[in-house]
């Protein structure tokens, strides 16, 4: 017998293959639209990712006050984008106003709803959503510099490669487990970091890094952040699909997941949330390396 652990009703194939496919689609969207339509294409791609994350996170996190949470998240996404495209010299610090006002809006939205069930959990989930959509807006700054498109492209490809490789490896060999009950393993994490570093190294000329060592460092850091956030999102998915189920031993029956959750909604969160976490990191690395 083993110690009790969460078990997801979501098949491992769905847990890994669907997010990997959506990751490839999201990266292609953010890389190709700016190539075709310039800054307007970049804004459209970022807004699609933000609104997709807003809708799916409200569902997956089970935030109370569905309509209000959607409104707060969508308004924060639009405000964050405007804060970085309207000023002549935008800075990442401009997002502090969005986060401050968004936090107050989230508190009011949660306090005014009736009944106030799960208020703390819903408020914390909304705050995380505000941070995520604001972080995605950093992609607008990353691509705005003269050589920004190349830097954004290489960074996004490194993050995408890390996510896809991590899912592919964990589908086949999710051991040794990094978290009990979550189909994520050490080999997947290590290989995803190597994949991100390799992509950044190969694209160092297009990304403007030039030297090999800074490119490897940038790719490894971005891939490491990606891998850790991917582990967190996998834990969220397992917890969400184990809701209402039983705690079971490893050799026992799997818990029954929440039937109201679409596997595609879970996959969008797994694909977009790591991209959101890496966007400001990529912007910071550009100024350091």
């Amino acid at each position: 017998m083993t110690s009790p652990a969460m078990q997801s009703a979501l098949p491992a194939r769905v847990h890994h293959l669907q997010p990997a496919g959506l990751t490839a689609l999201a990266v292609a969207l953010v890389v190709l639209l700016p190539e075709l339509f310039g800054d307007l294409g970049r804004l459209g791609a970022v807004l699609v990712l933000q609104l997709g994350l807003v809708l799916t996170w409200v569902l997956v996190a089970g935030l109370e006050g569905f309509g209000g949470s959607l409104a707060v998240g969508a308004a924060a996404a639009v405000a964050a984008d405007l804060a970085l495209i309207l000023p002549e010299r935008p800075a990442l610090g401009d997002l502090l106003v969005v986060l401050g006002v968004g936090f107050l809006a989230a508190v009011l939205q949660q306090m005014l709803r009736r009944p106030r069930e799960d208020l703390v959990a819903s408020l914390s989930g909304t705050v995380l959503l505000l941070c995520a959509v604001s972080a995605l807006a950093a992609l607008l700054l990353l691509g705005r510099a003269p050589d920004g498109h190349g830097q954004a492209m290489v960074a996004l490809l490194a993050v995408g490669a890390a996510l896809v490789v991590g899912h592919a490896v964990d589908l086949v060999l999710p051991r040794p487990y990094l978290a009990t009950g979550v189909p994520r393993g050490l080999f997947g994490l290590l290989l995803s970091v190597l994949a991100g570093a390799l992509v950044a190294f190969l694209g160092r000329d297009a990304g403007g890094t030039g030297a090999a060592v800074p490119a490897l460092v940038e790719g490894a850091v971005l891939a490491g952040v990606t891998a850790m956030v991917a582990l967190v999102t996998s834990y969220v998915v397992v917890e969400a699909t184990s809701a209402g189920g039983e705690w079971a031993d490893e050799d026992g029956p799997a818990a029954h997941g929440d039937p109201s959750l679409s596997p595609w909604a879970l996959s969008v969160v797994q694909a977009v949330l790591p991209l959101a976490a890496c966007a400001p990191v990529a912007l910071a690395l550009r100024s350091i390396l």
Side-chain angles (χ1 to χ4, degrees):
M1 300 293 289
T2 57
S3 59
M6 287 186 301
Q7 289 195 4
S8 173
L10 198 67
R13 175 178 53 82
V14 178
H15 188 105
H16 292 298
L17 291 185
Q18 282 187 188
L22 287 177
T23 296
L25 181 62
V27 171
L29 188 72
V30 184
V31 169
L32 294 179
L33 284 187
E35 187 73 29
L36 297 174
F37 304 105
D39 290 339
L40 185 61
R42 181 175 293 107
L43 174 60
V46 170
L47 191 57
V48 167
L49 295 184
Q50 288 172 319
L51 296 181
L53 181 60
V54 169
L55 176 59
T56 54
W57 179 254
V58 171
L59 291 171
V60 171
L63 302 185
E64 299 293 338
F66 179 80
S69 298
L70 282 181
V72 170
V78 174
D81 294 345
L82 292 177
L84 296 184
I85 62 174
L86 292 181
E88 184 177 349
R89 293 183 178 180
L92 198 61
D94 296 338
L95 295 177
L96 291 176
V97 175
V98 177
L99 291 172
V101 175
F103 176 72
L104 292 177
V107 170
L108 287 175
Q109 181 258 326
Q110 290 296 326
M111 289 299 295
L112 292 177
R113 65 178 172 86
R114 296 289 189 277
R116 298 194 189 102
E117 296 177 353
D118 299 324
L119 188 146
V120 174
S122 295
L123 181 58
S124 60
T126 304
V127 171
L128 190 150
L129 179 61
L130 294 175
C131 294
V133 296
S134 297
L136 279 170
L139 292 175
L140 300 174
L141 284 184
L142 186 63
R144 189 164 179 172
D147 57 348
H149 177 67
Q151 293 174 336
M153 178 183 67
V154 173
L156 286 166
L157 290 176
V159 172
L163 275 173
V164 171
V165 169
H167 280 298
V169 174
D170 287 333
L171 177 63
V172 179
L173 184 63
R175 295 172 184 269
Y177 289 126
L178 295 173
T180 305
V182 179
R184 288 286 188 173
L186 179 61
F187 289 117
L189 186 148
L190 295 177
L191 291 177
S192 65
V193 172
L194 289 176
L198 179 60
V199 169
F201 174 78
L202 295 176
R204 63 190 184 280
D205 292 331
T209 306
V213 173
L216 288 172
V217 171
E218 179 183 14
V221 170
L222 288 174
V225 173
T226 299
M228 295 307 298
V229 178
L231 172 62
V232 172
T233 57
S234 286
Y235 192 97
V236 170
V237 167
V238 171
E239 188 176 56
T241 53
S242 296
E246 299 177 354
W247 293 84
D249 291 325
E250 186 174 2
D251 299 326
H256 297 288
D258 185 351
S260 65
L261 286 179
S262 166
W264 288 107
L266 299 166
S267 299
V268 169
V269 170
Q270 287 180 275
V272 180
L273 203 55
L275 289 176
C278 289
V281 176
L283 192 63
L285 289 173
R286 188 183 72 177
S287 63
I288 296 173
L289 299 177

